[in-house]
């Protein structure tokens, strides 16, 4: 996918038009408490509509943090200024299991967490994760928090569903860690496009910022449906929406870290459905990253976005373009990184490891100095000379495993050898790797107090 060079004039126009929307069109906040907070700050409120004056917006934007670090007793994760967070699934209501779409169970949720814990790339687990049937009403998000902590020592995205569940999740994580840094978890909250923050959107955001925890403000619109049909109009509306959420966080708790998020879809207007991938989505990613840089804050864009319904060519192609664009943007926070398909509605463990291998390939060539006096090996070139072979040279035998990327899942054998091996499909190899990972998983060891906290809540399962 083309990496678009975003012009400074475009960024400035997006900013100016967004300020115009905030000041003249306004944004709805469907939450009584935040409306009162805005009024006390002298911000114009009419019903649920809030209007932000340009001077206030620009004043607040000057005080945003370019980076922050999530610190737990077991890990330290910097986000922004070169620090990258990689997190996997969130919100999938179904799972692809043995070729069939099924309702996920608690075991599926646990398996997904185990995969995160054993991943070399994931450094941020996610409580929202995938749906898990069979959990008691009113305890779903808290129990998912407990399960995430039981099966992984990596930092967590806490619950994002409601204000109550977010508060419970954050409080449990804090009590469980007991000793941690100023920031020990993070939330991901969405705008309800167009230009609207629902009651629970606000309540969940407030649960984080009141506890001085960072939050990702993310828009997720679809052109022609919940944003203007034009790419330009959608980019400007999205920016205004995210800015409104950022302003909310800073009015409540000045200086609390915030991440600029965008996961806006494209749309198939012939069927009136949003689709999570298309060339326009790559453009939305790049403009979102440019605006985050303009405001001097970390960005969250992209992921393994695919609208495919099965593990096929469409799924691989859409995911590859999405992930590569995500990295071309140099985003600071990669969400939905592995395993999701059907516009984030379906999760697959096989797709998880396939996506992971794709990202490993990309990471393998990042930030490497290929052209150095030592790496060229002129002595070897002179030694082999014209018509020779490098296959048995000492340098080849010593360096080939770390110099070149060797896929584990993608088939690289010649056809005859592949046929002799039984013609294994990439999907079959992915299934075997998932089983290997889950079989080799080791449960984290905690102290007596932490173990008791987990066991007491999980006793009801």
């Amino acid at each position: 996918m083309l990496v678009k060079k975003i012009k400074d004039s475009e960024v400035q126009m997006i900013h100016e038009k967004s300020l115009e929307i905030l000041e003249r069109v306004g944004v709805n906040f469907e939450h009584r408490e935040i409306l009162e907070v805005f009024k006390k700050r002298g911000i114009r409120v009419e019903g649920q509509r809030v209007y932000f004056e340009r001077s206030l917006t620009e004043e607040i934007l000057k005080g945003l943090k370019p980076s922050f670090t999530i610190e737990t007793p077991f890990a330290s994760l910097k986000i922004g200024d070169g620090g990258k967070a990689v997190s996997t699934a969130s919100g999938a209501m179904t799972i692809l299991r043995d070729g069939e779409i099924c309702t996920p169970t608690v075991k599926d949720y646990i398996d997904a967490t185990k995969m995160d814990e054993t991943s070399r790339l994931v450094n941020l687990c996610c409580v929202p994760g995938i749906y898990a049937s069979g959990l008691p009403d009113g305890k779903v998000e808290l129990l998912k928090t407990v399960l995430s902590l039981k099966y992984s020592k990596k930092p967590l995205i806490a619950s994002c569903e409601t204000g109550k569940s977010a508060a419970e999740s954050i409080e449990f994580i804090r009590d469980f860690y007991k000793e941690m840094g100023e920031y020990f978890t993070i939330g991901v909250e969405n705008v309800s496009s167009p230009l609207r923050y629902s009651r629970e959107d606000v309540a969940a955001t407030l649960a984080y910022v009141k506890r001085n925890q960072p939050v990702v403000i993310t828009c997720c619109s679809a052109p022609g449906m919940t944003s203007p049909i034009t790419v330009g109009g959608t980019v400007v509306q999205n920016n205004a929406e995210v800015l409104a959420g950022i302003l909310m966080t800073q009015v409540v708790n000045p200086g609390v870290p915030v991440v600029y998020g965008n996961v806006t879809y494209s749309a198939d207007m012939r069927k009136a459905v949003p689709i999570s991938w298309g060339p326009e989505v790559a453009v939305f990613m790049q403009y979102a990253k440019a605006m985050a840089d303009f405001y001097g804050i970390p960005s969250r864009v992209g992921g393994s976005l695919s609208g495919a319904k099965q593990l096929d060519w469409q799924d691989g192609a859409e995911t590859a373009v999405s992930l590569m664009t995500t990295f071309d943007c140099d985003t600071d926070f990669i969400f939905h990184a592995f395993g999701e398909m059907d516009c984030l509605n379906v999760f697959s463990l096989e797709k998880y490891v396939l996506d992971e291998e794709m990202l490993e390939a990309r990471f393998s060539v990042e930030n490497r100095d290929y052209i150095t006096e030592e790496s060229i090996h002129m002595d070897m070139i002179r030694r082999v000379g014209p018509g020779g072979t490098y296959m048995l040279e000492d340098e080849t035998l010593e360096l080939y495993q770390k110099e070149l990327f060797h896929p584990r899942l993608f088939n690289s054998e010649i056809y005859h050898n592949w046929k002799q091996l039984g013609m294994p499909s990439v999907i079959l190899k992915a299934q075997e790797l998932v089983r290997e990972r889950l079989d080799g998983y080791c449960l984290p060891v905690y102290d007596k107090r932490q173990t008791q906290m987990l066991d007491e809540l999980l006793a009801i399962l």
Side-chain angles (χ1 to χ4, degrees), residues 6 10-11 13-19 21-22 57 61 64-68 79-80 85 186-191 193 197 214-221 231-247 249-250 256-264 283-302 326 329-335:
I6 308 298
E10 292 178 290
V11 170
M13 181 178 290
I14 294 166
H15 176 65
E16 292 294 332
K17 297 297 183 184
S18 299
L19 295 184
I21 290 173
L22 293 175
T57 300
L61 291 176
L64 301 177
K65 284 184 168 66
S67 67
F68 57 93
I79 300 177
I186 188 170
V188 178
E189 301 302 337
N190 293 330
V191 181
S193 299
Y197 282 83
V215 65
V216 184
I217 303 295
T218 305
C219 58
C220 183
S221 63
V231 169
T234 293
V235 168
V236 169
Q237 179 188 293
N238 286 173
N239 191 60
E241 290 170 332
V242 173
L243 288 183
I246 291 173
L247 294 172
T249 67
Q250 302 306 302
V256 66
V258 63
V259 176
Y260 186 112
N262 185 297
V263 66
T264 286
V283 175
F284 293 141
M285 289 184 196
Q286 293 172 69
Y287 276 112
K289 169 60 176 173
M291 297 315 297
D293 288 347
F294 180 69
Y295 298 124
I297 56 177
S299 62
R300 172 245 165 149
V301 299
T326 300
C329 288
D330 194 27
T331 188
D332 306 291
F333 189 118
I334 306 169
F335 204 13

Side-chain angles (χ1 to χ4, degrees), residues 23-137:
E23 193 166 37
R24 300 183 182 180
V25 179
V27 177
N28 278 16
F29 288 84
E30 300 170 1
H31 191 283
R32 184 177 303 172
E33 180 184 348
I34 196 62
L35 293 173
E36 290 302 316
V37 172
F38 286 144
K39 289 177 183 177
K40 289 178 181 178
R41 182 63 187 267
I43 298 169
R44 180 159 67 100
V45 176
E46 296 180 2
Q48 296 180 335
R49 187 73 57 88
V50 181
Y51 301 87
F52 299 95
E53 291 185 3
R54 179 191 187 100
S55 57
L56 174 65
T57 300
E58 294 190 325
E59 174 193 338
I60 288 176
L61 291 176
K62 291 176 182 176
L64 301 177
K65 284 184 168 66
S67 67
F68 57 93
T69 300
I70 297 175
E71 294 182 280
T72 77
F74 315 110
S76 179
L77 173 60
K78 182 181 178 182
I79 300 177
D81 280 346
K84 290 187 186 299
V86 179
S87 189
T88 55
S90 177
M93 298 297 291
T94 56
I95 188 169
L96 182 66
R97 190 190 306 121
D98 298 326
E100 299 291 331
I101 301 295
C102 310
T103 299
T105 63
V106 172
K107 180 181 181 303
D108 291 318
Y109 184 88
I110 292 171
D111 284 348
T113 306
K114 289 179 177 178
M115 294 296 289
D116 285 349
E117 177 66 7
T118 57
S119 174
R120 291 178 293 180
L121 302 181
V122 171
N123 54 20
L124 184 63
C125 287
C126 180
V127 170
I130 63 173
Y131 177 70
S133 62
L135 295 175
D137 291 343

Side-chain angles (χ1 to χ4, degrees), residues 141-142 145 158-170 204 207-208:
E141 295 299 302
L142 179 58
T145 302
S159 173
C160 311
E161 186 171 299
T162 67
K164 181 176 182 294
S165 68
E168 288 180 342
S169 184
I170 298 166
Y208 286 91

Side-chain angles (χ1 to χ4, degrees), residues 145-396:
T145 302
V146 177
L147 288 169
S148 294
L149 288 167
K150 180 178 176 66
Y151 290 96
S152 177
K153 282 190 170 182
K154 295 181 179 179
L156 298 178
I157 298 172
S159 173
C160 311
E161 186 171 299
T162 67
K164 181 176 182 294
S165 68
E168 288 180 342
S169 184
I170 298 166
E171 295 291 345
F172 188 89
I173 293 169
R174 183 186 63 190
D175 294 343
F176 181 81
Y177 288 151
K178 200 169 186 179
E179 295 180 5
M180 59 277 172
E182 182 179 12
Y183 311 121
F184 55 85
T185 188
I186 188 170
V188 178
E189 301 302 337
N190 293 330
V191 181
S192 298
S193 299
L195 299 169
R196 169 180 171 258
Y197 282 83
S198 72
R199 185 183 184 283
E200 292 302 342
D201 291 333
V202 176
T205 302
L206 293 180
Y208 286 91
V209 298
K210 285 182 176 180
R211 291 165 177 80
N212 198 40
Q213 295 307 299
V215 65
V216 184
I217 303 295
T218 305
C219 58
C220 183
S221 63
M225 301 177 71
T226 55
S227 64
I229 188 62
T230 62
V231 169
T234 293
V235 168
V236 169
Q237 179 188 293
N238 286 173
N239 191 60
E241 290 170 332
V242 173
L243 288 183
I246 291 173
L247 294 172
M248 169 175 57
T249 67
Q250 302 306 302
V251 168
V252 174
N253 182 2
V256 66
V258 63
V259 176
Y260 186 112
N262 185 297
V263 66
T264 286
Y265 287 1
S266 185
D268 188 337
M269 295 306 294
R270 298 166 300 179
K271 303 179 180 69
V273 295
I275 53 175
S276 64
W277 186 242
E280 298 82 14
V281 177
V283 175
F284 293 141
M285 289 184 196
Q286 293 172 69
Y287 276 112
K289 169 60 176 173
M291 297 315 297
D293 288 347
F294 180 69
Y295 298 124
I297 56 177
S299 62
R300 172 245 165 149
V301 299
S304 62
L305 306 178
S306 169
K309 317 307 177 207
Q310 54 186 330
L311 298 175
D312 56 11
W313 193 93
Q314 176 187 344
D315 182 62
E318 291 179 345
T319 298
V321 174
S322 177
L323 276 178
M324 294 309 104
T325 304
T326 300
F327 268 80
D328 288 339
C329 288
D330 194 27
T331 188
D332 306 291
F333 189 118
I334 306 169
F335 204 13
H336 306 295
F338 311 138
E340 293 188 272
M341 52 201 296
D342 188 33
C343 298
L344 308 181
N345 291 313
V346 178
F347 178 73
S348 163
L349 290 174
E350 291 77 22
K351 186 176 189 295
Y352 186 114
V353 293
L354 289 166
D355 294 347
E356 198 176 40
E357 181 154 293
M358 202 182 307
L359 203 54
E360 283 181 343
R362 177 56 184 260
F363 271 136
S364 73
V365 297
E366 291 248 320
N367 302 318
R368 290 182 60 178
D369 295 324
Y370 282 104
I371 308 301
T372 65
E373 191 69 37
E374 181 183 26
S375 68
I376 294 172
H377 288 282
M378 285 298 297
D379 57 334
M380 180 169 51
I381 295 172
R382 286 191 291 265
R383 188 169 66 244
V384 172
T389 177
Y390 291 90
M391 290 191 66
L392 297 180
E393 294 300 307
D394 290 342
E395 294 90 338
T396 301

